[in-house]
Amino acid sequence: YEVHFKEQGMDAVIIIETTEPNFSWNNLMPCTTYEIQIKSLCSNKNTLLSDTFTFTTKGCGACIDVRYCDARGDTSLDEWIAKVAINDLLNETEKDNYGDYTGMSTTLETSATYDISLSPGYGSEDFFEYFKVWIDYNQDGQFDNVTEVAYNPERAVNTPIIRQITIPESAKLGLTRMRVAMKAYQASTSSPPTPCEIIDFGEVEDYCVNIIEGPFRC
């Protein structure tokens, strides 16, 4: 077999010939996406390169490297997360049920406070929605529903809201995951969303945030 691979976006291609059906690479760059094509080498036949496929090496941080619990909503009744904005991250979307937006990120400083803007989207009736936000501050691949709740309004809304998130001084530095959930809510019959919930009516979106050390504060 002839294996062609390169860093995504680069021109230089490395070609490896092998007779083994399984082999491994060494000395790859961390948190780097590579493109690969393969073709068989036959003495009596000129074969073509395969379609290109990609893989990304580990080393990007907990947000990408760690597997988080599944969570999603059901947007079939026309209610979804229409906008999430914090710092320089802005994402306006339509229905997803679950939106994996970990390719989008923003940098947040420890001990700093940021405005977060959340908007519900509707296809027809404006239902009341309960938003909740978690950040995996210790980067253990889990969202603690007490210590890692970044935003909890303690009430439902049917209009855009702007609130504040403060990054704790104890947060581990690096790229970690932020989860935003929106759930249809009636105070008498509903409960707020939890981080690993399959929501009947609403939506869940995931993002990356890069936590860096903020300036010293007395």
Side-chain angles (χ1 to χ4, degrees), residues 21-74:
N22 298 293
F23 65 98
S24 60
W25 285 280
N26 295 314
N27 303 318
L28 298 182
M29 296 294 292
C31 193
T32 301
T33 299
Y34 290 89
E35 297 179 349
I36 303 176
Q37 291 178 288
I38 301 173
K39 74 174 181 177
S40 57
L41 298 177
C42 304
S43 59
N44 60 350
K45 187 177 181 181
N46 184 24
T47 59
L48 300 176
L49 281 167
S50 69
D51 292 337
T52 300
F53 62 96
T54 64
F55 70 90
T56 300
T57 54
K58 293 195 172 190
C60 297
C63 184
I64 304 298
D65 292 347
V66 176
R67 179 177 175 82
Y68 285 83
C69 62
D70 292 332
R72 65 180 183 275
D74 182 353

Side-chain angles (χ1 to χ4, degrees), residues 6-181:
K6 66 173 185 173
E7 288 185 34
Q8 192 173 57
M10 303 295 286
D11 293 328
V13 177
I14 297 174
I15 300 176
I16 297 174
E17 290 188 9
T18 179
T19 59
E20 299 297 326
N22 298 293
F23 65 98
S24 60
W25 285 280
N26 295 314
N27 303 318
L28 298 182
M29 296 294 292
C31 193
T32 301
T33 299
Y34 290 89
E35 297 179 349
I36 303 176
Q37 291 178 288
I38 301 173
K39 74 174 181 177
S40 57
L41 298 177
C42 304
S43 59
N44 60 350
K45 187 177 181 181
N46 184 24
T47 59
L48 300 176
L49 281 167
S50 69
D51 292 337
T52 300
F53 62 96
T54 64
F55 70 90
T56 300
T57 54
K58 293 195 172 190
C60 297
C63 184
I64 304 298
D65 292 347
V66 176
R67 179 177 175 82
Y68 285 83
C69 62
D70 292 332
R72 65 180 183 275
D74 182 353
T75 60
S76 61
L77 290 185
D78 287 346
E79 51 195 317
W80 64 90
I81 299 171
K83 185 180 80 169
V84 173
I86 180 171
N87 200 23
D88 58 355
L89 186 156
L90 171 62
N91 193 31
E92 296 179 308
T93 58
E94 295 295 329
K95 301 177 184 179
D96 289 314
N97 290 339
Y98 169 72
D100 183 356
Y101 298 111
T102 53
M104 306 178 69
S105 66
T106 188
T107 296
L108 307 176
E109 296 182 352
T110 56
S111 301
T113 298
Y114 298 88
D115 287 339
I116 184 167
S117 177
L118 304 167
S119 299
Y122 301 106
S124 55
E125 182 180 349
D126 293 1
F127 302 97
F128 276 89
E129 312 291 343
Y130 200 116
F131 281 96
K132 203 167 180 180
V133 181
W134 300 265
I135 296 177
D136 183 15
Y137 290 127
N138 63 5
Q139 300 183 28
D140 67 348
Q142 301 179 52
F143 297 108
D144 188 283
N145 204 27
V146 177
T147 61
E148 294 182 323
V149 176
Y151 170 63
N152 182 10
E154 298 182 350
R155 67 184 183 92
V157 298
N158 62 355
T159 57
I161 54 174
I162 298 176
R163 297 291 186 269
Q164 291 186 318
I165 285 179
T166 299
I167 306 303
E169 185 180 2
S170 60
K172 187 175 180 179
L173 306 184
L175 199 67
T176 192
R177 189 167 296 204
M178 178 177 75
R179 174 162 290 176
V180 181

